[in-house]
């Protein structure tokens, strides 16, 4: 299942490289391990799983560890931009996943059908789009990077833009998503809205959407419910693959 260099094998043997980030103490190793186990138990294709982290203790031995850059950005969420560089070590088909998500279904059929023909982000469809598009509030954002898909250097332009305007971006934006929304919203491509939804902020919060692929938990602005505080179906799904 694992390949050390993350290279893509074409055709029916397509390999997908999943990447997640863990820094600080907000999320424990169980977040990484359960995300990895969810993919191991649901994903019908071949894949690699990489965790970019500043602390690899207690992570599953089958997870590939990449050390978090200590000097790249003072805004931790902007660290995500590094894996979008054409110079990054992971090649081929790539999927960036946040830790605080639930994988509800096999992602492979969707990824195989769309075949990474373009980079795709997630739109924050749980928000009022008209309000977001007309407000200047610093937290307003209609782009979400909890589930991003791309191939090779398709997102290198985002990385190059950041390198060119690094100081201004870090002063002006409080998150990676906000910087994407302001500078690239009309340029980026997106997953269909019914594939991803929000546990806390959807029109029917805390209710499972059985047809969706991913449920995300949004707590970066001090609101919403953390995944480890969820109950019922969400908690059961999160802990399902524990040993």
């Amino acid at each position: 299942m694992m390949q050390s260099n993350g290279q893509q094998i074409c055709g029916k043997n397509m390999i997908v490289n999943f990447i997640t980030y863990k820094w600080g103490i907000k999320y424990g190793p169980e977040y990484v391990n359960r995300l990895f186990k969810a993919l191991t138990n649901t994903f019908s294709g071949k894949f690699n799983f990489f965790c970019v982290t500043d602390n690899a203790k207690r992570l599953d031995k089958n997870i590939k560890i990449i050390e978090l850059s200590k000097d790249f950005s003072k805004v931790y969420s902007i660290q995500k931009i590094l894996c979008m560089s054409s110079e990054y070590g992971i090649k081929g088909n790539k999927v960036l996943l946040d830790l605080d998500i639930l994988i509800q279904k096999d992602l492979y059929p969707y990824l195989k059908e769309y075949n990474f023909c373009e980079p795709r982000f997630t739109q924050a469809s749980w928000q009022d789009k008209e309000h977001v598009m007309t407000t200047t509030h610093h937290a307003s954002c209609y782009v979400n990077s909890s589930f991003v898909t791309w191939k090779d250097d398709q997102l290198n332009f985002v990385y190059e833009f950041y390198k060119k305007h690094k100081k201004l971006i870090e002063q002006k934006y409080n998150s990676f998503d906000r910087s994407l929304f302001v500078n690239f919203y009309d340029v980026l491509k997106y997953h269909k809205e019914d594939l991803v939804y929000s546990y806390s902020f959807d029109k029917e919060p805390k209710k499972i959407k059985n047809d969706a692929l991913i449920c995300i938990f949004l707590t970066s602005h001090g609101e919403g419910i953390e995944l480890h505080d969820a109950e019922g179906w969400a908690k059961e799904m999160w802990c399902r693959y524990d040993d």
Side-chain angles (χ1 to χ4, degrees):
M1 181 176 66
M2 301 293 180
Q3 283 201 345
S4 58
N5 61 5
Q7 288 288 341
Q8 173 190 6
I9 295 179
C10 298
K12 64 180 181 180
N13 294 318
M14 179 181 75
I15 289 180
V16 177
N17 299 294
F18 291 97
I19 307 167
T20 194
Y21 280 72
K22 175 188 174 298
W23 60 78
I25 60 174
K26 182 176 182 180
Y27 298 124
E30 70 276 10
Y31 271 82
V32 185
N33 292 336
R34 287 172 179 169
L35 181 60
F36 172 65
K37 289 178 181 178
L39 288 167
T40 300
N41 282 274
T42 62
F43 197 74
S44 58
K46 296 183 178 181
F47 73 94
N48 300 307
F49 187 92
F50 299 86
C51 180
V52 186
T53 183
D54 58 356
N55 184 356
K57 291 181 180 179
R58 295 168 53 204
L59 296 188
D60 189 290
K61 64 180 181 180
N62 292 308
I63 295 172
K64 298 181 179 299
I65 305 301
I66 299 175
E67 185 175 354
L68 185 76
S69 173
K70 296 179 180 178
D71 56 5
F72 178 68
S73 174
K74 65 182 181 181
V75 181
Y76 272 121
S77 62
I78 288 180
Q79 293 270 358
K80 289 180 176 181
I81 248 179
L82 262 180
C83 67
M84 298 176 184
S85 166
S86 60
E87 301 174 359
Y88 206 66
I90 302 173
K91 309 300 181 183
N93 304 314
K94 289 168 276 193
V95 179
L96 179 62
L97 296 174
D98 275 357
L99 285 179
D100 55 340
I101 68 170
L102 290 174
I103 304 293
Q104 295 190 186
K105 291 185 175 183
D106 183 2
L107 301 180
Y108 186 73
Y110 167 67
L111 296 177
K112 184 175 176 62
E113 180 182 10
Y114 120 77
N115 199 29
F116 296 85
C117 62
E118 62 189 13
R120 291 182 182 177
F121 286 77
T122 298
Q123 292 197 85
S125 57
W126 46 89
Q127 295 193 50
D128 183 327
K129 185 173 183 179
E130 182 177 354
H131 172 74
V132 172
M133 294 300 182
T134 56
T135 184
T136 57
H137 189 269
H138 76 283
S140 299
C141 185
Y142 210 69
V143 175
N144 182 273
S145 60
S146 295
F147 176 44
V148 185
T149 57
W150 76 105
K151 180 189 295 184
D152 293 326
D153 61 352
Q154 288 175 336
L155 287 177
N156 188 60
F157 70 94
V158 176
Y159 172 74
E160 292 297 333
F161 180 84
Y162 170 77
K163 277 206 315 183
K164 184 176 181 179
H165 305 286
K166 181 178 187 294
K167 186 175 180 179
L168 178 61
I169 289 173
E170 294 193 353
Q171 288 177 341
K172 188 172 182 180
Y173 305 114
N174 64 338
S175 74
F176 174 48
D177 292 357
R178 175 67 177 167
S179 68
L180 290 171
F181 173 58
V182 174
N183 295 292
F184 294 110
Y185 178 74
D186 292 333
V187 176
L188 300 178
K189 306 296 184 181
Y190 301 94
H191 304 291
K192 294 180 179 179
E193 291 186 356
D194 59 352
L195 297 184
V196 183
Y197 69 106
S198 166
Y199 179 81
S200 297
F201 304 109
D202 213 67
K203 292 180 180 179
E204 296 183 272
K206 302 183 184 180
K207 184 176 180 180
I208 188 172
K209 287 189 172 182
N210 290 309
D211 293 333
L213 296 178
I214 292 175
C215 177
I216 68 176
F217 290 69
L218 302 165
T219 60
S220 59
H221 297 292
E223 300 177 346
I225 298 173
E226 294 284 4
L227 181 48
H228 56 256
D229 291 327
E231 299 177 347
W233 68 267
K235 189 63 171 289
E236 180 182 347
M237 185 176 294
W238 190 47
C239 300
R240 179 179 299 173
Y241 305 111
D242 284 354
D243 296 331

